[in-house]
Structure formats: structure tokens, C-alpha cells
């Protein structure tokens, strides 16, 4: 039986005068732990390059069984009809357009989607929801969801909805996860259901099980056996295993 093929969205490293390699050029990149996690789950991951032509992106999605929307830069507030409250929260509109084209293709083709960190935000915004542009600024009393110095040492618990795709993956109803985001879901998109919450009420996971659309606000790909946090935090591999199982079923490979 052939393996499940999963397309991963790329980030873009824009021209940077301090970067001598490919000086003045834009680079597509994927984060290695994410592709490694998908491979461990039995999938063959493919990086989908950032291309301006939507029809080419649609054709790329036709070649894979599912789409993973990766982590990265902020979603531009324009996606959900707002202007940036601060210039540094303007996001990356080019990446939004690229990922919205990939997502539109995956939905039109009935293919499962998993959004990770930025990916859950892009999903929610593209499907008609909205985001907090900055949790610390817009949600008084919220936990620290991103700490630049601690990066993925930063953590909090999330409470899992009992009837959700995540609950069967763990023995506990409350799990400890990393937190490396300063945006978060504000208004949930029509069709999406919240599946996990931080203690401050911030939505940390969503699903539309009917369409096999899933999202997590944390980075399960950094919660593998090699992680220094593995012993304390919820393992991330079950998230990818569950997604790949859904992809396999939907692609008729089960
Ligand atoms: Mn968080």
C-alpha cells in the first residue's frame, strides 16, 4: 500500500543584507522537526513551494492526500478585515495569499488539513473567523503565550474537550504544552469547533471533523522523544498519528 502524501506549506525568508548566502533572494523554508514528525507518523511529507500562480498551487495540492499549514509569521489582519493595530503586527500578506490558495484547493478537493500554530490562525481567519492581533495587548489578564527569551521553554496547560479528536490521544483531560504565539483565535470561524482551551480561555485547538480540518495552537512537532521537555509535557507524536490515520481513511488507504 502506498504511503500517505502530505504537502506542507513553506515559510519565506525574505532578502536580508546580513545573509550572504543567496544575497538579495527569497528562500522557501520548512522547519525540520515538522517534516520529521510527519515522517514518523508514516507519511511522506513534501514542501510545497511558494508560487504566485494559484492554478499551479491547486495542481500541487492535487498530488497530495492532505495539507499541513506550518508555523511562522503573523497572519495579516486584512485577512479578517482589520488593519494592523501596530506596524509590527502587519504580518506577511504574501504568505497568507499562498496559504489561502493551498487551503482553498484542499477544501475544494475534500482533503484533510492540519494547521500548526500560525496554521490554526490562518485556518480560522481564512474560514471567516478573526484573531487577536496580540494577546497581551487585547486580552487583559491572559497568560504569557509567547516569551521571546524562553521560546519553546514557555508552556501552559490546555484542557481538552472530552468529545474531540484530541481527547482520545491522552489519558488526562488537561495536558501541558508549549506556547510560542502572540496571536490567537478571537471569533471562531463558522464550522470550526473549539477542542482545547488554555486556563485563560484562549482557544488552543479546533476541528471540523466532518471535513477533517484540525488545528493546534501549540507545536506538537517539538514535543518528540528528543525534546528536553518530553518527560513532563504531552507527547506530540499522537497528534500527527491521529491526523495521518484520518488522511489514510479519507484517501481510501486504510
Ligand atoms: Mn498558548
Amino acid at each position: 500500500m502506498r504511503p500517505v502524501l502530505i504537502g506542507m506549506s513553506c515559510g519565506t525568508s525574505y532578502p536580508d543584507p546580513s545573509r550572504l548566502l543567496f544575497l538579495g533572494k527569497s528562500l522557501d523554508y520548512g522547519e525540520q522537526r515538522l517534516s520529521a514528525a510527519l515522517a514518523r507518523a508514516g507519511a511522506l511529507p513534501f514542501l510545497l513551494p511558494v508560487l504566485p500562480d494559484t492554478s499551479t498551487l491547486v495542481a500541487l495540492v492535487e498530488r497530495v492526500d492532505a495539507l499541513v499549514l506550518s508555523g511562522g509569521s503573523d497572519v495579516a489582519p486584512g485577512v479578517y478585515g482589520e488593519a494592523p493595530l501596530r506596524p509590527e503586527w502587519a504580518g506577511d500578506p504574501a504568505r497568507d495569499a499562498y496559504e489561502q490558495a493551498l487551503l482553498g484547493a484542499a477544501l475544494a478537493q475534500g482533503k484533510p488539513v492540519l494547521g500548526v500554530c500560525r496554521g490554526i490562525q490562518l485556518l480560522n481567519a481564512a474560514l471567516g473567523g478573526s484573531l487577536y492581533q496580540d494577546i497581551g495587548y487585547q486580552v487583559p489578564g491572559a497568560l504569557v503565550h509567547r516569551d521571546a527569551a524562553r521560546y519553546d521553554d514557555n508552556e501552559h496547560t490546555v484542557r481538552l474537550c472530552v468529545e474531540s479528536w484530541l481527547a482520545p490521544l491522552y489519558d488526562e483531560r488537561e495536558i501541558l504544552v508549549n506556547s510560542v504565539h502572540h496571536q490567537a483565535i478571537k471569533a471562531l470561524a463558522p464550522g470550526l469547533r473549539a477542542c482545547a482551551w488554555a486556563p485563560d480561555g484562549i482557544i488552543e485547538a479546533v476541528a471540523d471533523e466532518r471535513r477533517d480540518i484540525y488545528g493546534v495552537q501549540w507545536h506538537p512537532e517539538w514535543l518528540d522523544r528528543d525534546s528536553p521537555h518530553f518527560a513532563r509535557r504531552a507527547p506530540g507524536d499522537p497528534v500527527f498519528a491521529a491526523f495521518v490515520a484520518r488522511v489514510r481513511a479519507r484517501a481510501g488507504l486504510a
Side-chain angles (χ1 to χ4, degrees):
M1 188 178 290
R2 74 167 176 84
V4 159
L5 312 180
I6 296 188
M8 294 167 53
S9 65
C10 286
T12 299
S13 178
Y14 291 103
D16 173 356
S18 70
R19 192 186 71 218
L20 296 178
L21 205 60
F22 294 102
L23 181 65
K25 314 300 180 204
S26 288
L27 307 177
D28 290 343
Y29 69 85
E31 199 271 321
Q32 292 186 350
R33 300 276 284 279
L34 182 57
S35 36
L38 289 166
R40 275 198 305 280
L44 280 183
F46 292 84
L47 284 176
L48 305 178
V50 181
L51 295 165
D53 177 31
T54 298
S55 63
T56 310
L57 296 174
V58 170
L60 286 175
V61 175
E62 280 169 357
R63 304 303 175 102
V64 294
D65 299 308
L67 174 67
V68 169
L69 296 168
S70 313
S73 50
D74 287 353
V75 174
V79 175
Y80 45 95
E82 293 183 13
L85 297 172
R86 288 189 190 163
E88 62 267 34
W89 300 337
D92 180 352
R95 180 164 177 187
D96 298 338
Y98 151 77
E99 286 186 328
Q100 283 180 279
L102 293 177
L103 174 61
L107 297 178
Q109 297 169 27
K111 291 179 175 165
V113 180
L114 173 66
V116 174
C117 199
R118 167 194 158 85
I120 190 179
Q121 298 166 3
L122 191 281
L123 258 181
N124 188 64
L127 294 176
S130 66
L131 303 177
Y132 293 116
Q133 295 186 29
D134 182 80
I135 298 168
Y137 182 73
Q138 291 180 289
V139 188
L143 296 171
V144 174
H145 286 266
R146 185 172 70 180
D147 180 325
R150 301 187 68 220
Y151 204 65
D152 59 329
D153 284 339
N154 193 45
E155 63 188 17
H156 58 65
T157 58
V158 295
R159 182 169 50 84
L160 305 178
C161 173
V162 178
E163 292 178 11
S164 73
W165 64 289
L166 288 168
L169 309 183
Y170 300 102
D171 293 334
E172 303 81 22
R173 291 286 71 81
E174 204 168 82
I175 60 171
L176 186 62
V177 300
N178 53 36
S179 188
V180 196
H181 61 108
H182 81 113
Q183 295 189 307
I185 291 173
K186 185 165 66 175
L188 198 58
L192 289 184
R193 200 163 62 89
C195 301
W197 298 264
D200 56 8
I202 292 290
I203 293 172
E204 291 270 342
V206 298
D208 175 352
E209 276 105 345
R210 194 176 52 84
R211 292 194 285 177
D212 278 323
I213 299 174
Y214 306 96
V216 287
Q217 184 59 78
W218 65 94
H219 284 271
E221 71 276 24
W222 296 341
L223 296 170
D224 60 9
R225 283 183 183 287
D226 296 331
S227 160
H229 307 291
F230 184 74
R232 297 179 51 245
R233 293 179 183 169
D237 279 2
V239 171
F240 297 102
F243 180 66
V244 169
R246 290 304 312 152
V247 177
R248 188 169 284 125
R250 192 167 273 254
L253 299 168

